[in-house]
Amino acid sequence: MSRENVEIVRSICEPWTRGDFSSAEWAHDEIEYVIADGPAPGRWVGRAALAEGWQAFLNAWDDYRAEPEGYRELDAERVLVPLRGTGRGKASGVDLAQMATTGANLFELRDGKVTRMVTYMNWDRARADLGLRE
């Protein structure tokens, strides 16, 4: 099942490389969405709340895109995706491409749907939370 989960996650992330975050068909109706770190951590439950939380994040950026740097099966239900974000902060003007930082999304899946997604702005924090080494 985990290989299938990797392909589901790949199909979710592919539009994100073009800045297309419009679909949430992949999300379970009661998905838990967590932003674990960064300037605006939070937790939302449900597909509508996922959209609200994600939109709040996206509203801080012009032309935000997320470039996956790989797909790592952690177990039969979890896939970790290191991501490099690009875009420019609306308020700060900061260019993410110049910062060369990697974050990550952790996807937890059951029956072909994402039941939990955790966004990490910091790759080291993601690895520490998950007990991973390079």
Side-chain angles (χ1 to χ4, degrees), residues 10-75:
R10 189 183 313 274
S11 73
I12 293 166
C13 294
E14 198 279 324
W16 296 358
T17 65
R18 298 185 309 274
D20 179 1
F21 299 93
S22 61
S23 175
E25 293 301 314
W26 45 268
H28 186 277
D29 287 341
E30 295 302 315
I31 187 172
E32 177 185 16
Y33 175 53
V34 176
I35 298 177
D37 58 1
R43 179 181 175 273
W44 298 264
V45 176
R47 197 181 286 180
L50 164 71
E52 177 186 313
W54 192 239
Q55 193 60 50
F57 172 79
L58 290 176
N59 283 341
W61 303 97
D62 281 324
D63 198 29
Y64 183 80
R65 297 168 190 265
E67 303 282 338
E69 295 186 335
Y71 299 87
R72 183 172 177 178
E73 298 174 57
L74 299 181
D75 55 38

